[in-house]
Amino acid sequence: MRDLFRQAGIIVIPVLVYVIMRLLWVTCRKRFHNLSEIDESQHVCVCWHGELLMSPQAYRKIHPEHKASAIISSHFDGSLIAGTLRFLKIRPLRGSTKKGARQVLLQAFKSIKAGEEVLITPDGPRGPRHSMSDGAIGIALKSRLPIFVMNYQPSSYWQLGSWDRFVIPKPFCRIDFYIQSLSLEGMEIEEAKEYLKEKMLEHTVI
């Protein structure tokens, strides 16, 4: 019976989450701040786990037709995220850079070779919040791609008590999106991790 409820949840919950995402997107006033030029060139794309409600929609606003995939954990909550992102035409790569790292990284490099952009939450799937895993940095350095950073700050919001302090903008608020492209060329991995973390924390809800 429990498995039956889980399977039903995997079908129903993503639909409900997507409807909520779209309602918030339509009702909220949005301002986009391009901190650097973003064109249609290929990137590795990142946002914090706590900003997953709106950041993928911002990605699709800026890159409406670009083929994309996202590294998503194989846990149950990952299945819900994967089901939701499919509505945005973002293909899931199941696994994480902590568990099953080799397999999911191979999938990511195959996606990049096929011309897709890969989306990653550096502090996912289980935190700690605003930590920086090696995954996004390693993929960007090895593939020699820049990083596409997506952050947002709502003028009014709810914040859950979960490990990622998940941010839910309130309807009809103003949302400021901060978008930037960062080059990691010439950096060592630890230097790149510190640099990316610093940039991602500049325009996020603390």
Side-chain angles (χ1 to χ4, degrees), residues 97-149:
T97 53
K98 293 181 180 179
K99 185 177 180 181
R102 185 174 183 275
Q103 182 180 359
V104 77
L105 289 176
L106 285 174
Q107 291 182 66
F109 287 121
K110 285 181 180 178
S111 296
I112 288 170
K113 189 174 181 180
E116 293 184 353
E117 294 193 307
V118 173
L119 285 67
I120 309 176
T121 53
D123 57 346
R126 296 298 172 96
R129 182 177 185 243
H130 294 167
S131 59
M132 186 62 59
S133 68
D134 292 346
I137 298 295
I139 291 170
L141 289 174
K142 189 172 181 62
S143 60
R144 298 183 180 179
L145 293 178
I147 298 269
F148 181 159
V149 178

Side-chain angles (χ1 to χ4, degrees), residues 26-61:
V26 170
T27 60
C28 291
R29 291 170 290 125
K30 298 169 289 292
R31 295 196 306 191
F32 285 84
H33 306 272
N34 292 329
L35 306 178
S36 63
E37 183 178 352
I38 297 283
D39 55 24
E40 283 297 317
S41 60
Q42 192 177 20
H43 287 74
V44 174
C45 308
V46 296
C47 72
W48 294 125
H49 200 277
E51 298 180 6
L52 273 172
L53 192 63
M54 305 303 290
S55 290
Q57 296 184 95
Y59 168 78
R60 271 294 171 231
K61 171 72 174 178

Side-chain angles (χ1 to χ4, degrees), residues 62-188:
I62 296 165
H63 280 182
E65 301 298 333
H66 212 300
K67 292 182 179 179
S69 54
I71 294 178
I72 303 169
S73 78
S74 54
H75 299 105
F76 176 70
D77 55 352
S79 297
L80 303 181
I81 294 170
T84 305
L85 291 183
R86 283 192 178 98
F87 288 106
L88 295 169
K89 298 182 180 179
I90 297 174
R91 187 171 64 89
L93 306 176
R94 302 306 302 275
S96 77
T97 53
K98 293 181 180 179
K99 185 177 180 181
R102 185 174 183 275
Q103 182 180 359
V104 77
L105 289 176
L106 285 174
Q107 291 182 66
F109 287 121
K110 285 181 180 178
S111 296
I112 288 170
K113 189 174 181 180
E116 293 184 353
E117 294 193 307
V118 173
L119 285 67
I120 309 176
T121 53
D123 57 346
R126 296 298 172 96
R129 182 177 185 243
H130 294 167
S131 59
M132 186 62 59
S133 68
D134 292 346
I137 298 295
I139 291 170
L141 289 174
K142 189 172 181 62
S143 60
R144 298 183 180 179
L145 293 178
I147 298 269
F148 181 159
V149 178
M150 299 168 286
N151 291 118
Y152 70 87
Q153 292 182 319
S155 60
S156 181
Y157 58 90
W158 295 285
Q159 196 164 17
L160 303 185
S162 52
W163 69 263
D164 58 357
R165 303 288 291 149
F166 198 79
V167 176
I168 304 174
K170 293 184 178 180
F172 308 105
C173 75
R174 186 190 72 245
I175 305 177
D176 287 281
F177 290 94
Y178 297 89
I179 311 297
Q180 54 187 318
S181 176
L182 303 175
S183 173
L184 305 180
E185 187 176 356
M187 295 185 186
E188 298 294 330

